[in-house]
Amino acid sequence: MRPLIPKTSLAVILAFCLLASNHTQAASETTSEAAIQVITEYRTVDPSSRVQAWKQVITHPSGNPKFSEFQSERLRQWQKTEFAPYQLEDPEIIALVTEVIRPVLELYRRQNCFKILVVNHHVPVAMNDSGVLLMVTTGLIERATSDDEILGHVAHELGHDLFWQRTDKARRALELYKNSMNTELLARQAKEELAKIELECDAFSAITLAALGRNPVFFGQYLLSVERTSLTTFQWAFRQLPYECR
C-alpha cells in the first residue's frame, strides 16, 4: 500500500500545463527533463480521446474469479496498518464520499472494483491498494476546496493501475538492490522511473478531469499548498492555463 507521496513544484507545473497551448520552451526553463518529457508526451487538445485509449488498457480486477478472495485478503492486511484504528464505519459518510468520487470510478468502469475506506486522520492521504482498496482520509476531504480537488486525488490513484507493471518492475529492482543483488545504477534508474510514474499519474489525473468537464486546477492548487511552492512558480504556471480555465 503506497501513500500519496509529497509532490514537487514540477508536478504542480505539469498539472497546469498539460492542457495549455504550446509553452514547451517556457516550461523547459523551469522544469526538469523528466517533467518536460511527461508534459510533451501527455499534452493534448482532445482529453476524451486519450481517456478512451486508457479505458481499453486499464486493469479491471473485478473480472477475476478470485477477486472477492483477493480483496478480502488485502483488507485483512490493511487492518494491520497504522491507519486501521482510525477507520470510520459510518455508512452515511462512506456513501457521501463514494458519491463525490463516483464520476472518476464510473468513467473507467471501476465502480465495482474498490472497497472505499474513509479514515479519520488529519494527514491528507489517498491510497490505492492493489486496485481493490481505495482509502481517503478526513484530512484530505476537509482540506479540499472543491469536489474536483478530491476527484484529482482519486484520478491520480487510478492512474497507478494503468502503470502497475512498470511500478512492479521498478520496485523489484529496488528490492534486489536492497538485498545486494542489483547495481546502484539500476537502483537509481528504478527510483527515477517511480518518480516519473508519479508525474504521469498527475498527467492522467489532469486529462481525466478535463475529459469529465472538471477543472484540474484545484488539484494543482492543492499540490501548491502542500509543498508551499513559491508565488513566482504559481504565477508562472497559472499564466500557462487557457483563459477559460482560470
Side-chain angles (χ1 to χ4, degrees):
M1 183 160 55
R2 178 194 46 73
L4 181 67
I5 67 170
K7 301 299 195 317
T8 67
S9 58
L10 303 181
V12 178
I13 294 170
L14 173 64
F16 281 112
C17 289
L18 279 167
L19 304 174
S21 55
N22 293 328
H23 290 283
T24 305
Q25 182 174 358
S28 66
E29 298 171 358
T30 313
T31 62
S32 71
E33 182 178 346
I36 294 169
Q37 181 181 351
V38 172
I39 291 171
T40 301
E41 180 180 352
Y42 285 86
R43 178 182 282 117
T44 179
V45 296
D46 189 5
S48 295
S49 293
R50 183 63 68 93
V51 166
Q52 288 302 316
W54 287 334
K55 288 170 66 174
Q56 300 305 312
V57 296
I58 197 168
T59 58
H60 290 84
S62 59
N64 189 313
K66 294 186 177 181
F67 169 75
S68 295
E69 179 182 340
F70 176 68
Q71 186 180 58
S72 296
E73 176 58 28
R74 293 310 306 159
L75 183 59
R76 283 193 291 272
Q77 293 297 321
W78 186 86
Q79 294 294 343
K80 301 176 183 178
T81 69
E82 68 272 22
F83 287 109
Y86 304 98
Q87 181 180 357
L88 293 178
E89 301 288 355
D90 189 326
E92 185 173 344
I93 294 177
I94 295 172
L96 287 172
V97 172
T98 302
E99 181 62 23
V100 170
I101 68 177
R102 177 179 54 81
V104 168
L105 298 182
E106 288 188 345
L107 178 65
Y108 291 103
R109 303 187 301 276
R110 305 302 303 278
Q111 63 270 29
N112 298 320
C113 294
F114 289 106
K115 178 174 179 59
I116 308 300
L117 305 172
V118 180
V119 173
N120 185 22
H121 201 284
H122 68 279
V123 177
V125 173
M127 290 184 183
N128 173 358
D129 183 358
S130 307
V132 297
L133 304 179
L134 185 62
M135 186 201 87
V136 296
T137 63
T138 54
L140 186 149
I141 296 169
E142 292 167 357
R143 188 177 183 129
T145 58
S146 74
D147 288 356
D148 289 359
E149 183 179 318
I150 298 174
L151 284 172
H153 287 285
V154 173
H156 173 102
E157 293 305 311
L158 288 189
H160 283 283
D161 290 343
L162 190 67
F163 308 121
W164 72 269
Q165 290 176 312
R166 288 168 52 198
T167 300
D168 183 65
K169 181 179 179 180
R171 287 178 175 171
R172 288 178 184 273
L174 289 176
E175 187 65 24
L176 288 172
Y177 176 71
K178 180 180 178 181
N179 295 323
S180 302
M181 299 173 63
N182 211 343
T183 66
E184 185 174 349
L185 174 61
L186 290 177
R188 184 169 67 250
Q189 290 175 344
K191 291 179 181 179
E192 291 173 353
E193 173 73 344
L194 291 174
K196 184 173 183 287
I197 289 171
E198 288 297 326
L199 289 172
E200 291 185 70
C201 286
D202 283 328
F204 179 93
S205 176
I207 293 173
T208 295
L209 292 183
L212 285 168
R214 303 298 187 113
N215 194 338
V217 172
F218 292 105
F219 182 47
Q221 288 174 332
Y222 167 85
L223 301 181
L224 284 166
S225 176
V226 169
E227 286 300 297
R228 298 179 181 177
T229 308
S230 69
L231 181 61
T232 300
T233 301
F234 171 77
Q235 290 173 336
W236 178 88
F238 191 74
R239 285 200 299 271
Q240 313 313 309
L241 287 172
Y243 182 78
E244 61 270 21
C245 290
R246 297 182 185 180

